[in-house]
Amino acid sequence: MSLAPVALITGGARRIGAEIARTLHSAGFNIAIHCRHSLKDANALANTLNTARAHSASVFSADLINKSEIDQLAKALKQKWGRLDALINSASSFYPTPLENATEDHWDDLMGSNLKAPFFLSQAFAQSLQETGGCIINIADVHAERPLKHHAIYCAAKAGNIMLTKALARDLAPRVRVNGVAPGAIMWPESESELNPDQQAEILQRIPLQRAGEPSDIARTVRFLICDAPYITGQILPVDGGRSVNT
């Protein structure tokens, strides 16, 4: 069994997930990096972390919409590390689904990655987290409460994610804390067709701090909730530059 605490970050190979992995690694955690398609990036990140501290990172590949693969992931992680102290549900699909074009596949994918997977991952790791007095962090979204045009399915899934966070906080207390982080404008979508420069500028105008955030803003908040907030559970912390209090 690992003597150091272990954190599993789903979608941990790239972008915000990778920054969370680096930040928790710097805080002394051993890191389980989950990926689905980004195996090259996941292995590169693990190599970097293992260079900094030997045998401190490993990679796990799974399709989290498939419950049997979640169960296999839980078994593999237990065999590798023997414990889990933090589950960070960061993996997420995000793209527009205008009502006239939305399909059942879109529904299954967006609901699957943003709501179904966090639930069944929490189920699969509940016992391990109870044994360590660990915690779950769900990455939500400010658009769970302020819907984004043409993203009805995604926003509904993230709204469910927020309620899931609050419900699990009750179900898993007192041994396991469950909280959420709701990013605002942190990283623009990689596809420029999703948000053009004019749309980006319009979003920034509605943010009191008048700028986009950084992945490190999310990662530091996750670290705080895991390491420095033993009396916080069932809460969603917006990290949005004040957007959620603006009109």
Side-chain angles (χ1 to χ4, degrees):
M1 176 182 288
S2 171
L3 297 178
V6 176
L8 167 63
I9 301 100
T10 69
R14 303 174 61 248
R15 293 167 66 85
I16 290 174
E19 186 65 21
I20 293 171
R22 287 188 286 265
T23 298
L24 293 181
H25 187 265
S26 295
F29 281 77
N30 287 338
I31 304 298
I33 304 164
H34 158 267
C35 68
R36 182 181 179 186
H37 299 302
S38 303
L39 191 58
K40 181 178 179 180
D41 292 318
N43 285 327
L45 176 59
N47 288 338
T48 299
L49 299 181
N50 284 323
T51 298
R53 177 158 43 91
H55 311 298
S56 61
S58 55
V59 173
F60 300 85
S61 179
D63 177 0
L64 300 181
I65 299 179
N66 187 325
K67 185 180 180 300
S68 66
E69 294 200 27
I70 289 177
D71 294 338
Q72 291 169 13
L73 169 62
K75 182 178 179 180
L77 190 143
K78 187 174 182 63
Q79 289 176 341
K80 172 65 177 179
W81 297 113
R83 64 183 294 166
L84 185 66
D85 300 79
L87 166 63
I88 300 91
N89 288 309
S90 178
S92 171
S93 295
F94 172 82
Y95 47 82
T97 53
L99 182 61
E100 64 274 15
N101 298 326
T103 67
E104 187 175 8
D105 286 342
H106 293 152
W107 177 277
D108 290 343
D109 179 48
L110 289 164
M111 286 291 178
S113 64
N114 291 292
L115 185 55
K116 177 183 177 181
F119 176 84
F120 284 106
L121 282 159
S122 299
Q123 180 190 69
F125 288 107
Q127 181 176 343
S128 294
L129 292 168
Q130 287 167 349
E131 291 170 355
T132 59
C135 62
I136 298 170
I137 307 294
N138 291 324
I139 304 301
D141 195 304
V142 294
H143 291 299
E145 297 183 353
R146 291 175 175 265
L148 184 64
K149 188 175 182 179
H150 298 317
H151 289 72
I153 301 175
Y154 172 82
C155 293
K158 285 300 190 184
N161 183 288
I162 285 177
M163 181 51 68
L164 177 67
T165 299
K166 296 177 180 180
L168 290 179
R170 294 196 66 180
D171 291 347
L172 295 176
R175 288 290 295 163
V176 178
R177 295 181 299 111
V178 186
N179 291 294
V181 176
I186 300 297
M187 297 184 75
W188 302 119
E190 292 179 305
S191 172
E192 294 182 0
S193 63
E194 293 183 10
L195 284 175
N196 62 46
D198 290 339
Q199 291 172 313
Q200 294 176 13
E202 182 183 354
I203 289 172
L204 293 179
Q205 288 176 0
R206 299 197 297 267
I207 298 174
L209 293 187
Q210 293 288 290
R211 61 178 177 82
E214 301 290 338
S216 59
D217 294 315
I218 303 302
R220 287 194 297 263
T221 304
V222 169
R223 181 182 61 192
F224 162 73
L225 287 171
I226 294 172
C227 300
D228 299 314
Y231 202 57
I232 297 177
T233 194
Q235 303 304 307
I236 309 297
L237 296 188
V239 182
D240 62 357
R243 175 68 183 94
S244 55
V245 299
N246 206 358
T247 57

